[in-house]
Amino acid sequence: MEAIATVTTKGQVTIPKAIRDQCGFLEGDQLVFRTTDYGAAIIRVPDLADLAGVVEVPPEKSGVPWEEIREQVREARAQNLIQ
């Protein structure tokens, strides 16, 4: 599908309804604009709730509070163990 939109003087673009409908873009969705060699791709940022269960949690991390995991990552980065 193709549709034409015009960039305003403020750099804004209205995504044509046919494109919004086909892509499932809804009011309030956040979009990522990723440049390519040919222009740009627009991708809807998934709701974190949609990602629940997608990644398997290692047994040693199961039940660990999120803030504790973040602190462990900060410490590991500070020690240059991970990037």
Side-chain angles (χ1 to χ4, degrees), residues 4-66:
I4 295 175
T6 302
V7 178
T8 69
T9 57
K10 292 183 177 184
Q12 298 172 333
V13 176
T14 298
I15 300 170
K17 182 171 179 4
I19 301 295
R20 292 193 316 263
D21 290 347
Q22 183 165 352
C23 294
F25 297 156
L26 301 173
E27 180 180 348
D29 282 349
Q30 291 187 323
L31 305 176
V32 173
F33 291 79
R34 181 171 294 145
T35 59
T36 69
D37 291 340
Y38 304 103
I42 303 170
I43 304 161
R44 182 175 51 88
V45 175
D47 185 318
L48 289 178
D50 294 341
L51 299 176
V54 173
V55 176
E56 194 171 322
V57 177
E60 67 274 9
K61 299 293 182 192
S62 183
V64 176
W66 180 242

